[in-house]
Amino acid sequence: MNLEQQITQLLGLATRARKTISGEELVVKEIRSKKAKLVILANDASQNTAKKLNDKCASFNVELHVFGDRHDLGHATGKEARVAIAIMDDGFAKKLSGLLNEYNRG
């Protein structure tokens, strides 16, 4: 199984465990309340959305990764297209962070 599949499956697992929040406004809210441990942004997000999430994550010290497009993220979480996903659990965030760092190096 390649890294992309592992990341997608872990996102699905986290979603089924109710440890993810998706949608730009809800993700921003979770970053502000310091509950988001990791944020995943679709690579086809608008510049405005990307800047907003980049700035929020930087100011609240939340790790941000760009992965897949909105349809990949939506499919992984079993929903319609999603531009941003926040991971709310330390364990899932740590594992996804490792996989995403490895994926972005490759």
Side-chain angles (χ1 to χ4, degrees):
M1 183 178 345
N2 67 24
L3 274 173
E4 207 168 319
Q5 289 170 318
Q6 287 179 339
I7 293 166
T8 304
Q9 282 189 341
L10 198 56
L11 267 174
L13 191 63
T15 302
R16 286 191 298 281
R18 297 176 181 251
K19 301 295 183 189
T20 63
I21 300 288
S22 61
E24 178 190 346
E25 292 307 317
L26 292 172
V27 168
V28 169
K29 188 177 134 209
E30 296 302 333
I31 294 169
R32 278 196 192 119
S33 66
K34 296 189 168 95
K35 290 181 186 164
K37 312 293 184 209
L38 174 90
V39 174
I40 299 174
L41 180 67
N43 59 22
D44 61 347
S46 70
Q47 286 183 330
N48 198 13
T49 300
K51 181 181 181 341
K52 183 195 289 186
L53 286 170
N54 264 316
D55 294 349
K56 277 284 174 261
C57 285
S59 62
F60 285 90
N61 201 21
V62 176
E63 192 176 342
L64 175 81
H65 287 279
V66 176
F67 173 77
D69 63 22
R70 63 184 67 211
H71 300 292
D72 293 338
L73 294 182
H75 182 73
T77 57
K79 296 184 170 79
E80 292 294 310
R82 291 287 187 257
V83 173
I85 298 175
I87 310 300
M88 313 304 285
D89 179 78
D90 283 321
F92 282 118
K94 191 177 282 186
K95 182 68 176 158
L96 274 165
S97 175
L99 288 170
L100 286 160
N101 283 327
E102 200 177 323
Y103 176 79
N104 290 328
R105 263 189 247 117

